[in-house]
Amino acid sequence: MNVDFQALKERTLQIEKAGDIEKIIACDTPYQRFVQAAAQFSGNIAVKYMGTNIRYCELLKLIDKLANGFDSIGIKKDDVVTVSLLGTPYAIAVFYALDKLGACQHMVNSASGLDELKRELSHFHSKYYVANDIFCTNDVISTLRANGVKKIVTVSLLDGMQKYPNKDRVIYTAIEKSKGIPKNIMKASSDILTCKELIEIGEEYSCDVVPATYEEDHMATVAYTSGSTGNSKACVATWRAIDSFVQVLAMTEIGRYHIGDILFTTFPLWIYYSLLNMLHEPLCLGITVALDPIYKPENLARRNKQYRFHHWPTIPPYISKMVSMNKKMDCSRWCVVSVGGVELTNETKLDGDAYIQKNGGNAKIVQGYGASEVLGSFSYCYYDNPTLGSLGKPCIGNMFKLVDVRTGREIQDGNEGLLYIYSPAMMSEYYGDEESTKASLITDENGAVWYNTEDIMRVNENGELFFVDRLRRMTVTIDSAGKPNKLIPSKTEKCIAQIPGVEECAVITVHDPERENIPIAFVKASPDCGDAFKQEIVEYCKDNIYEYQVPAEVIFVDAMPLTNSQKPDYKELEQQYQKRRQ
């Protein structure tokens, strides 16, 4: 990128008022940012994929051919294209190609079920759908056609992979044979094209596709929140917000990332955290992205040997799995291992740090905090010697304030309250949900827009953030003395998680006629734990937390339901509980 990030950082650090950074950041489209990177790092490797290395200059050619192909089937500026793609080289090319045309990319998770897909398609009248062919089942295709989709483009997991047989190609070929679109359906369907066919069209295309001109308020992408405590919401990102995000992270990560470093990413493009943190930002900075679209934790050692990566943005469950497998693995190249999505317990962090050190590495696992509303990371432990359990400090250019839950006024001297965050990378709205937008995006007296996270946080004397609980999950309960108290589910969760034999725990609150609300604990226990273990959990809680926080019932589950971002799906657990009571 043609930006002096050190100079921008120095100017940004002088800013004291939210909103002022927007006056000094000059932005561009994602496509144009990649063009600048491709010019600067032309011969460098942009993407590693299962034995294939794709250089920046090669990826740019692929992007431009795809843009020609998309243009040939009628996609133009401001068209909404529904996209559902895992992390592969051609998926990255699709993102930049559609952005070159100025299309709005409506990113959905096709694996979330037909009902969710129908709901998300109802938000937009999209005529185009681009997805991995393993997501294009007969039911999905019928749903797309019924909702007005005129053209379907399929992307194979094999696109961009080595052609000669190897272990990965054999595995991914088998996956596509079992889940992909049958060839006879492809041949009989004039509205379905493969990505490779589109590229061939683009190679022969006679028109010269001119990149869309930058407009700061242009609706570039739409991605959904996890919806762990309710329905997911569609977060709209403008071109300005996306480019601001890249620059905020680039300023923050000066000295941590270096040109030619390799970053291993395993997450799909329909999450802002993976699209921007793990793909667009590193590519703009000359960092190679190494991909595994259907990642399995047991393959970490093989991918580490194959890709020889330096950076690994991941989630706490994958750290836990790494430690529990206890395989020998060379960690000496690892520089940054960052996690988000769900809480990183102190035990998991320390065990992970010890594992890395045992295997020759010096990297420490660092935690962060973010939201789809600010397009990914808001804060993380990018500095030396962060406090154990901290979610870090705001990235350079981001700001926060703590607000009194009852009055909505900023808390000047307190260290705990409702977290409001500001970032130049703020979404513009929840698409089609004016009420939620007004409740979540708060404009201050200076015109700066803050996002009400609905998270209760505390801050220490070093300015580091610590999670307390979700406001939406916090309720009131009546204790044995008849007095009202705050019922904070995470406190019960943390207590239960300390008990040997508990593998996973999630706590919901349900209405009770006598106590207003009571906690219910869902626990995945070790196989050797019998029903008597439920009472042991209750007794342990009685000895370690307030009586009103002790679970009124413990329910064993074989597997904890998770959202797309690997958070406990509290909404699903509430539905399970209600079914048990019927």
Side-chain angles (χ1 to χ4, degrees), residues 87-326:
T88 68
Y90 280 39
I92 296 171
V94 165
F95 168 70
Y96 287 116
L98 290 173
D99 189 74
K100 179 179 181 178
L101 298 177
C104 170
Q105 300 183 56
H106 171 221
M107 299 187 170
V108 304
N109 176 8
S110 292
S112 61
L114 279 179
D115 288 342
E116 190 71 10
L117 179 59
K118 290 176 184 176
R119 189 180 77 85
E120 293 171 355
L121 285 171
S122 70
H123 290 162
F124 298 91
H125 298 291
S126 176
K127 296 180 181 179
Y128 306 95
Y129 181 78
V130 184
N132 292 108
D133 65 355
I134 61 172
F135 297 143
C136 296
T137 63
N138 288 334
D139 287 343
V140 168
I141 292 173
S142 297
T143 297
L144 295 171
R145 288 168 174 165
N147 281 271
V149 173
K150 302 301 182 185
K151 188 69 72 174
I152 299 168
V153 178
T154 67
V155 180
S156 169
L157 297 175
L158 303 177
D159 291 342
M161 193 181 294
Q162 283 183 341
K163 292 185 178 180
Y164 62 81
N166 58 24
K167 184 176 181 178
D168 291 317
R169 190 168 185 87
V170 169
I171 292 172
Y172 279 73
T173 299
I175 291 172
E176 295 221 328
K177 283 185 177 180
S178 64
K179 296 183 178 181
I181 304 178
K183 290 183 178 179
N184 61 327
I185 294 178
M186 286 289 298
K187 291 180 180 179
S189 303
S190 60
D191 60 343
I192 303 177
L193 279 171
T194 68
C195 190
K196 285 193 172 181
E197 288 172 337
L198 197 66
I199 290 169
E200 291 174 359
I201 293 171
E203 288 176 332
E204 303 298 324
Y205 198 51
S206 58
C207 296
D208 184 19
V209 175
V210 178
T213 303
Y214 172 78
E215 298 169 5
E216 65 175 29
D217 294 327
H218 173 71
M219 186 168 70
T221 58
V222 179
Y224 289 83
T225 61
S226 64
S228 60
T229 58
N231 287 330
S232 58
K233 300 184 186 70
C235 299
V236 175
T238 63
W239 269 334
R240 180 175 183 84
I242 290 174
D243 207 42
S244 294
F245 179 89
V246 171
Q247 296 189 55
V248 163
L249 266 291
M251 284 190 288
T252 303
E253 291 169 341
I254 290 174
R256 296 174 70 81
Y257 285 169
H258 301 90
I259 295 171
D261 280 359
I262 300 169
L263 182 146
F264 179 48
T265 180
T266 62
F267 295 98
L269 273 66
W270 58 70
I271 302 170
Y272 279 134
Y273 178 54
S274 52
L275 174 67
L276 301 181
N277 278 85
M278 303 181 191
L279 293 172
H280 181 46
E281 181 220 356
L283 285 171
C284 288
L285 300 179
I287 297 166
T288 301
V289 293
L291 307 173
D292 185 352
I294 306 182
Y295 173 70
K296 294 182 178 179
E298 54 267 30
N299 289 336
L300 178 61
R302 186 160 72 89
R303 294 293 180 233
N304 182 54
K305 184 177 181 180
Q306 179 182 32
Y307 289 137
R308 298 177 63 81
F309 57 82
H310 306 90
H311 309 282
W312 183 30
T314 186
I315 53 177
Y318 289 168
I319 298 295
S320 298
K321 189 67 175 179
M322 175 188 75
V323 172
S324 65
M325 288 189 300
N326 198 29

Side-chain angles (χ1 to χ4, degrees), residues 344-362:
L344 174 68
T345 65
N346 291 343
E347 180 183 11
T348 299
K349 178 202 162 28
L350 294 173
D351 286 348
D353 288 347
Y355 174 88
I356 294 170
Q357 186 175 27
K358 177 183 175 182
N359 286 274
N362 295 315

Side-chain angles (χ1 to χ4, degrees), residues 486-512:
K486 291 180 182 178
L487 181 55
I488 302 176
S490 63
K491 292 189 176 180
T492 306
E493 288 175 344
K494 289 177 181 178
C495 179
I496 295 175
Q498 296 172 359
I499 303 172
V502 172
E503 295 182 356
E504 295 179 63
C505 173
V507 174
I508 64 171
T509 60
V510 300
H511 177 69
D512 180 79

